[in-house]
Amino acid sequence: MSTIAPDPDVSVVVIVYNDEERLPTAVGSVLEQTLRNVEVIIADDCSTDGSHEVAQALAAAHPDRVRAIRLPENSGGCGEPRNQGVKVARGRYVMFLDSDDTLEPNACRNMVEAGDRTGAELISGLCVRVHTDSRHDKRVAWYPWLYRATRTVDSVSELPDLFVFDTLSTNKCYRRDFLLDNDLAFPRGIHYEDLLFSAQAYLAARRITLIPNTVYYWNVVEKTAVKSISNRRREINNFADRVEIHRRIDAILERKGLDGLKLWKDIKFLKHDLVLYLRELPFLDDEYRHRFAELARGYVQDFPEAAYDELDRVHAICAQLLLREDWTDLMPAIDTLINRHKISAPLTERDGRVYWTDRYLDDPEMRAVLDVTTLGYHAKRLDQMALRNRLTEYTASGDTVVLAGEIVNPLHTVAADAELSAELEFRARRRSLQTFRFPVPAPRHQGDTIAWRAEVPLARRLRPLGIVDDVWDVRLHLTADGRRTTSRLTVGTVDLEHAEAVPVRPRLTRLMADRLEAQVSAKGHLAFRLTQHGQVARVGRAAVERNLHGRPARAAKGAYRRLRAVRKDLNSGDRKLQVYERMLRRLPVRKGTVVFESHLGKQYSDSPRAVYEELRRRGVPITPIWSYAGERPEGFPEDAELVRRWSWRYLRALAQAEFWIDNQGFPLRLTKRPETTYIQTWHGSALKRMGFHEPTHRMMSEPEQRAYQQALDRFDHFVVRSEHDVRTLARAYRIPEEKLLRTGYPRNDALVRAREGAAPGPEAQRLAERLGLDPDRRVLLYAPTFRANSDGRVRGFEFGFDVERFAARFGDEYTLLVRAHYLNRLTLPPSVAGRVVDVSTEPDITPLLLLADALITDYSSVMFDYALLQRPLVFYAYDWEEYAEDTRGTYFDLLAEAPGPVPRTEDELFAAIGDLSAVQAKYEARLKEFVDKYGEYDRGDAAARIVDRFFGPAGEAR
């Protein structure tokens, strides 16, 4: 007679309600655990199907490992079945599993071993959401950053992200004594029980261990008519339950005096919980909206200001408009919240600032919230805008669909007299299939929008294949004076549910579909889906579906997938490296072929450009190849071959080139053949420690350091502009003496010539004309260094001073050119237009330096280059301590050696700018010393010297 083990390691409580088909799979994932001493408790919430009978059968089949219990009546949630399961559990540890999910085979072993090793009362592992109806086995890890490494904390306060984000109870393992001693149970009669249970468990646990292992597979079915309890967000009681659960958690945090955790949770509620429901509001009636606003207002209006301060601009706008029940302005804001690149409101400009709406601007607090100047909407051209296109009419009659809408016209970007044209595009969602276009007659201005209306003969003109193109998206292309913008059709309150379906004739077979039905996409846009209405079509589709899943179809699909896999493999980085090493590097070197690259292919600029142009000026017979990054190369020379970085043509060009010339580094994993000469011109002298002088490099593993050194060893020659470079860069990158080229930087030849009296050159003059610079105003260039947050994430551009105050004070005297790092996005307010100009996208900085009468920088290496001009330099070091105390450190004390004033405040900066002639006089001698020390080899002939050495003297044929 079999008996249940007296002391299982783990009791897994599997809850089930009307899920007889999936229950065996869930239970099987427990029985197949690599840790064998595990018991299963199936807790049936009084199912009305055969779930309890299935549970009893499983218990009978595994009497020593499976037990089945049944609640006398349905509890209406997940909590009570789990509570009852815990009451009868015998294991040292307890886990929870839903009947539609599964455990990873090693889940119990990994968790128990971690718990026994660390003494943790709560062990948590990685949960993975498996989208079971996805065609490509879509899997999404649940807050993976929490589980990158094993770690143990003695209080959840040490890791607020865990408390705030991972509120699941199912990816965790609990000591049973811990649950019983702390009387931990799920709340009854209310949804979102996981939130409260997890919060209580986190706060009660005296030790928590996280493991970097997947433990739980959360199976998600998106295309279902019956939503799970937590996803029924159109039911107002659903939101009421969520708010009530949060209130209960707040009460616990208040009793424990955990204000810090409360703030983190408030921020998450505003950014996540509230947004889940806001997404549904455009489709719900006024009664629901009002009740929802009441519930939300009653809860979030008492949140501290610090919580609202953490919201981005659109989140904050939605929150404040919701509290005011301003549905007119809120609906467009929600559209942008869901579609973050979309401009949904007409916007308004006041006093040089841009606002979401012109209402509430008399309220200083709301004025601050509604200010969207930093989002840069006003700086976009029409063809750079994604505009809200609100569907205002949808009717279907026979074979024709009538569509009408209104496209928002922010800040009247589309002029009233603009020539307008438009067309609707129906595109199959799956790529590389059909597209159909229909003209839209006479789009017209209508207040703050562009109105349009079209009768679309869908049944006659749209011919789907009928098998693989079941979903069709709709876009409208609007062209105004030659510029085009494309928009999706936002549905909103237009009733599609009762709209008549349109007959359709698929090209392959009508057995698959005979109607097109309008529907709303996940992001709120109009789409169409192929469906079958007639009995013949339904029977036919079933037959076709059977054939599609038959042996011949499976063989065809398998062959197609294999072809896709082969194509993907051929274009993978590893395969390209393999072919490069084994085949391409064996091809003969093409004499005279030179591959140029600047800033990883992002630009045609810098010293590689200067060398290239010197070669062209001399007419040296070379075959030049320039690499570019991205899809469309712009600004590159027309008389050179262009190859996209990491393409096959790029790899072949590098494999066969006689010369590599770049300023940053060709891909580190590409080896260079001995016959190729690699000239590394580099991209600037160093203030901050570089290469192996950086702590992060020194902390690399030995194999990582060796691989990095091998990449650096490819350099045959390394250009330096001073002995400072020799002491810093050359040593940081371990460049031996014999590889150093003491020529100075070719890019700086133009600066040295300008210092000696040469004109700026035609390119700088063309740039001044293109920027519209006023010849009566002097030019200042502001070029600060790259900035990131403390966690390494890129942040938006920060002036460090009030740019509007600058424009007001100096706008009549100076034009300020601002060049931000390409990763730090810059947006200028309209109020400074004409006086402050964004030049961040200019590919080459040298023409900007030539135009500037003075430079404002901070710690950027541009200081070393601009100093060659012997013009005023101002170092705005408002955050010097933060910069200098970075773990990388600096090579010298800028504050002591700067060849110009080092203001630390805005007032000090403006004072320096206000008297640049005094700056010039005071720092003239120090500036010359600075150039002698950091630019001693920049003599105006660097490009010529490099060309002379490697390609022959001027006038001498190679």
Side-chain angles (χ1 to χ4, degrees):
M1 178 177 175
S2 298
T3 58
I4 297 176
D7 190 17
D9 287 315
V10 185
S11 295
V12 179
V13 178
V14 182
I15 63 169
V16 62
Y17 176 71
N18 287 355
D19 198 14
E20 59 183 320
E21 291 185 2
R22 291 179 293 189
L23 177 60
T25 301
V27 172
S29 75
V30 183
L31 297 176
E32 294 164 5
Q33 287 290 300
T34 56
L35 181 68
R36 304 305 299 169
N37 191 20
V38 176
E39 73 165 351
V40 182
I41 299 166
I42 305 174
D44 175 39
D45 198 12
C46 199
S47 296
T48 58
D49 68 350
S51 295
H52 184 55
E53 287 73 19
V54 171
Q56 289 178 314
L58 289 167
H62 306 277
D64 56 338
R65 301 189 67 192
V66 179
R67 287 182 288 157
I69 63 174
R70 189 183 194 192
L71 274 66
E73 60 182 11
N74 180 253
S75 68
C78 300
E80 188 57 20
R82 290 174 182 158
N83 292 337
Q84 297 304 316
V86 172
K87 286 182 179 180
V88 300
R90 299 173 179 173
R92 294 189 296 126
Y93 293 91
V94 174
M95 293 180 64
F96 302 111
L97 174 65
D98 293 348
S99 61
D100 53 349
D101 299 331
T102 58
L103 293 182
E104 195 275 339
N106 298 296
C108 291
R109 178 179 299 279
N110 288 333
M111 288 187 148
V112 167
E113 287 181 351
D116 288 347
R117 184 177 66 254
T118 65
E121 296 168 318
L122 188 161
I123 306 96
S124 188
L126 181 65
C127 171
V128 174
R129 286 167 58 95
V130 180
H131 294 257
T132 57
D133 51 359
S134 165
R135 292 188 297 116
H136 303 295
D137 191 32
K138 179 181 175 184
R139 295 174 178 236
V140 180
W142 187 254
Y143 301 113
W145 77 82
L146 293 168
Y147 299 99
R148 288 180 181 146
T150 299
R151 56 176 153 179
T152 299
V153 296
D154 295 328
S155 167
V156 74
S157 296
E158 298 176 32
L159 190 58
D161 276 2
L162 182 64
F163 181 87
V164 169
F165 291 105
D166 189 359
T167 56
L168 300 177
S169 64
T170 48
N171 62 330
K172 296 171 179 62
C173 185
Y174 312 86
R175 289 186 185 269
R176 184 164 60 93
D177 290 345
F178 162 71
L179 297 179
L180 298 177
D181 292 346
N182 288 278
D183 197 24
L184 291 175
F186 291 88
R188 300 169 179 82
I190 189 169
H191 299 145
Y192 301 106
E193 59 283 320
D194 264 22
L195 296 179
L196 181 56
F197 178 84
S198 294
Q200 291 172 321
Y202 281 142
L203 293 171
R206 288 170 295 183
R207 179 161 291 182
I208 301 169
T209 293
L210 308 186
I211 60 174
N213 307 95
T214 298
V215 299
Y216 195 90
Y217 292 115
W218 177 1
N219 295 319
V220 180
V221 182
E222 294 182 341
K223 301 170 185 175
T224 176
V226 180
K227 297 288 187 182
S228 65
I229 292 173
S230 60
N231 284 326
R232 297 173 191 168
R233 289 188 284 271
R234 295 192 178 194
E235 299 174 7
I236 194 62
N237 288 338
N238 184 286
F239 183 61
D241 281 357
R242 186 183 288 261
V243 169
E244 175 57 26
I245 287 290
H246 274 274
R247 288 188 186 279
R248 296 185 189 184
I249 297 173
D250 293 345
I252 298 172
L253 293 173
E254 184 176 357
R255 286 198 304 270
K256 293 180 176 290
L258 297 172
D259 293 341
L261 279 180
K262 169 69 164 60
L263 175 60
W264 281 73
K265 192 188 72 66
D266 289 347
I267 293 169
K268 194 248 188 177
F269 186 90
L270 291 170
K271 286 187 172 183
H272 174 74
D273 299 63
L274 190 63
V275 172
L276 291 175
Y277 296 86
L278 286 175
R279 296 168 66 99
E280 306 290 342
L281 282 189
F283 310 102
L284 300 172
D285 58 34
D286 290 341
E287 182 181 353
Y288 178 97
R289 292 178 183 177
H290 175 65
R291 179 67 180 132
F292 174 77
E294 280 188 328
L295 287 168
R297 183 166 50 245
Y299 182 54
V300 306
Q301 67 182 359
D302 294 329
F303 281 12
E305 286 300 319
Y308 289 99
D309 291 343
E310 291 297 318
L311 300 182
D312 64 29
R313 187 60 59 195
V314 178
H315 271 107
I317 289 172
C318 287
Q320 291 299 327
L321 293 177
L322 173 66
L323 296 180
R324 288 162 174 77
E325 295 196 47
D326 180 352
W327 310 118
T328 300
D329 290 318
L330 177 58
M331 293 303 113
I334 292 173
D335 202 359
T336 293
L337 188 67
I338 300 171
N339 304 277
R340 297 313 293 265
H341 298 295
K342 185 184 290 188
I343 306 175
S344 299
L347 310 179
T348 188
E349 183 180 336
R350 293 279 180 86
D351 303 321
R353 307 293 295 180
V354 177
Y355 299 92
W356 186 260
T357 177
D358 58 2
R359 289 194 274 186
Y360 314 110
L361 295 186
D362 293 336
D363 179 343
E365 291 185 4
M366 276 299 286
R367 191 181 183 98
V369 169
L370 296 170
D371 189 335
V372 293
T373 309
T374 57
L375 298 182
Y377 294 150
H378 60 282
K380 294 180 180 291
R381 303 189 309 267
L382 179 64
D383 54 359
Q384 297 172 323
M385 293 179 172
L387 300 176
R388 172 177 166 88
N389 188 348
R390 185 174 67 90
L391 189 67
T392 57
E393 179 183 353
Y394 178 94
T395 56
S397 178
D399 63 359
T400 300
V401 170
V402 176
L403 299 172
E406 296 175 348
I407 306 171
V408 71
N409 185 15
L411 300 174
H412 301 286
T413 300
V414 179
D417 58 352
E419 183 178 341
L420 304 179
S421 63
E423 65 175 2
L424 284 166
E425 175 188 272
F426 288 69
R427 180 189 299 174
R429 186 166 292 177
R430 294 193 187 181
R431 292 184 302 172
S432 303
L433 294 176
Q434 302 181 90
T435 298
F436 297 90
R437 291 184 174 87
F438 303 89
V440 175
R444 67 193 186 282
H445 279 82
Q446 183 174 285
D448 290 327
T449 65
I450 307 296
W452 58 274
R453 189 175 187 274
E455 296 184 3
V456 182
L458 277 185
R460 287 183 283 116
R461 292 277 308 281
L462 192 146
R463 298 291 306 280
L465 296 177
I467 294 179
V468 293
D469 53 352
D470 56 331
V471 179
W472 290 76
D473 293 313
V474 188
R475 294 170 175 82
L476 185 138
H477 303 295
L478 173 70
T479 302
D481 288 341
R483 292 194 184 276
R484 190 174 90 160
T485 181
T486 299
S487 57
R488 301 287 298 271
L489 277 56
T490 298
V491 175
T493 55
V494 172
D495 182 14
L496 298 182
E497 187 174 345
H498 300 97
E500 182 180 338
V502 181
V504 69
R505 295 181 301 157
R507 294 180 187 275
L508 296 183
T509 172
R510 296 189 193 182
L511 296 179
M512 287 299 293
D514 58 9
R515 292 289 191 278
L516 270 176
E517 282 190 353
Q519 64 176 29
V520 184
S521 74
K523 298 243 175 157
H525 299 131
L526 177 66
F528 288 85
R529 180 178 289 276
L530 291 174
T531 60
Q532 313 82 36
H533 280 222
Q535 180 64 27
V536 173
R538 284 194 291 272
V539 173
R541 183 177 181 89
V544 173
E545 289 283 1
R546 284 195 299 271
N547 288 330
L548 284 175
H549 297 289
R551 182 176 297 175
R554 288 198 302 271
K557 290 177 183 178
Y560 173 68
R561 291 192 186 102
R562 286 192 292 274
L563 285 173
R564 286 186 60 186
V566 168
R567 180 179 179 183
K568 183 177 180 179
D569 177 68
L570 286 174
N571 285 285
S572 69
D574 289 339
R575 181 65 65 190
K576 285 182 174 180
L577 284 169
Q578 189 180 71
V579 173
Y580 175 85
E581 292 293 337
R582 296 182 181 180
M583 297 177 60
L584 298 180
R585 289 182 69 242
R586 299 178 185 273
L587 296 173
V589 170
R590 295 163 57 195
K591 287 292 184 182
T593 299
V594 187
V595 179
F596 296 90
E597 186 171 286
S598 179
H599 296 298
L600 307 180
K602 296 182 178 69
Q603 300 173 352
Y604 170 61
S605 66
D606 214 82
S607 291
R609 173 180 180 174
V611 174
Y612 168 77
E613 291 180 349
E614 177 67 13
L615 288 166
R616 280 304 195 214
R617 187 185 66 80
R618 295 190 186 188
V620 177
I622 63 168
T623 302
I625 300 174
W626 272 91
S627 87
Y628 67 91
E631 296 300 322
R632 294 184 302 171
E634 295 181 0
F636 284 81
E638 297 179 358
D639 57 351
E641 180 184 352
L642 304 184
V643 295
R644 184 167 50 82
R645 205 169 194 265
W646 267 113
S647 66
W648 284 109
R649 287 175 59 207
Y650 175 79
L651 296 176
R652 179 168 180 171
L654 287 174
Q656 293 190 271
E658 184 181 4
F659 291 94
W660 293 1
I661 300 178
D662 90 316
N663 66 350
Q664 197 157 338
F666 288 106
L668 299 181
R669 296 170 67 189
L670 295 182
T671 57
K672 181 187 71 67
R673 61 199 303 169
E675 305 95 318
T676 301
T677 300
Y678 188 170
I679 304 172
Q680 173 56 257
T681 66
W682 206 240
H683 53 275
S685 298
L687 170 62
K688 215 163 196 179
R689 294 187 179 275
M690 307 288 286
F692 285 104
H693 291 169
E694 291 185 50
T696 53
H697 282 69
R698 293 197 297 270
M699 292 170 62
M700 287 179 177
S701 67
E702 188 173 332
E704 289 173 326
Q705 289 198 31
R706 187 163 52 248
Y708 189 54
Q709 185 63 59
Q710 288 172 351
L712 297 173
D713 288 344
R714 297 177 304 169
F715 301 160
D716 294 297
H717 303 280
F718 187 86
V719 174
V720 295
R721 57 198 302 260
S722 68
E723 289 304 305
H724 169 75
D725 288 355
V726 176
R727 293 187 299 271
T728 57
L729 293 173
R731 291 178 183 172
Y733 294 111
R734 299 174 179 174
I735 310 295
E737 173 65 30
E738 62 271 17
K739 290 187 177 183
L740 299 180
L741 288 179
R742 289 176 168 84
T743 60
Y745 286 163
R747 73 181 186 197
N748 288 341
D749 290 346
L751 302 178
V752 175
R753 291 195 294 267
R755 181 186 68 200
E756 295 172 351
E763 184 176 2
Q765 294 172 358
R766 288 194 297 270
L767 176 62
E769 293 173 1
R770 181 158 53 82
L771 296 176
L773 299 184
D774 186 340
D776 294 329
R777 286 189 285 181
R778 290 189 292 172
V779 175
L780 297 179
L781 175 63
Y782 180 42
T785 192
F786 167 73
R787 278 175 169 77
N789 293 320
S790 57
D791 58 4
R793 290 181 301 166
V794 176
R795 65 194 192 198
F797 181 83
E798 297 174 3
F799 271 97
F801 62 88
D802 187 336
V803 69
E804 291 177 291
R805 183 183 170 211
F806 172 92
R809 179 168 174 178
F810 298 109
D812 294 335
E813 184 180 358
Y814 295 111
T815 298
L816 179 67
L817 307 182
V818 184
R819 184 179 176 84
H821 189 278
Y822 69 92
L823 290 176
N824 293 133
R825 185 176 59 86
L826 166 66
T827 299
L828 295 173
S831 57
V832 301
R835 294 170 292 175
V836 183
V837 181
D838 180 8
V839 293
S840 303
T841 58
E842 293 299 323
D844 198 345
I845 196 173
T846 300
L848 295 170
L849 299 178
L850 292 170
L851 289 176
D853 295 291
L855 172 71
I856 306 169
T857 186
D858 46 15
Y859 328 112
S860 171
S861 64
V862 73
M863 70 174 82
F864 299 106
D865 304 309
Y866 190 79
L868 296 170
L869 290 166
Q870 299 285 295
R871 298 175 188 170
L873 271 156
V874 178
F875 298 85
Y876 187 36
Y878 64 93
D879 58 352
W880 169 253
E881 285 78 13
E882 176 185 344
Y883 185 87
E885 291 174 6
D886 183 274
T887 55
R888 280 175 62 180
T890 59
Y891 285 117
F892 62 90
D893 185 351
L894 177 65
L895 273 61
E897 291 196 40
V902 188
R904 306 295 299 279
T905 67
E906 178 178 302
D907 289 339
E908 292 174 356
L909 171 65
F910 288 0
I913 294 171
D915 197 354
L916 287 178
S917 58
V919 170
Q920 177 84 7
K922 180 177 179 179
Y923 289 93
E924 183 176 7
R926 185 185 287 190
L927 187 55
K928 289 179 180 178
E929 293 174 2
F930 190 83
V931 171
D932 290 341
K933 184 174 182 178
Y934 297 108
E936 59 189 300
Y937 301 130
D938 281 322
R939 298 164 186 162
D941 60 353
R945 292 174 67 188
I946 290 174
V947 171
D948 284 347
R949 174 166 176 176
F950 298 102
F951 300 91
E956 180 180 310
R958 290 186 75 228

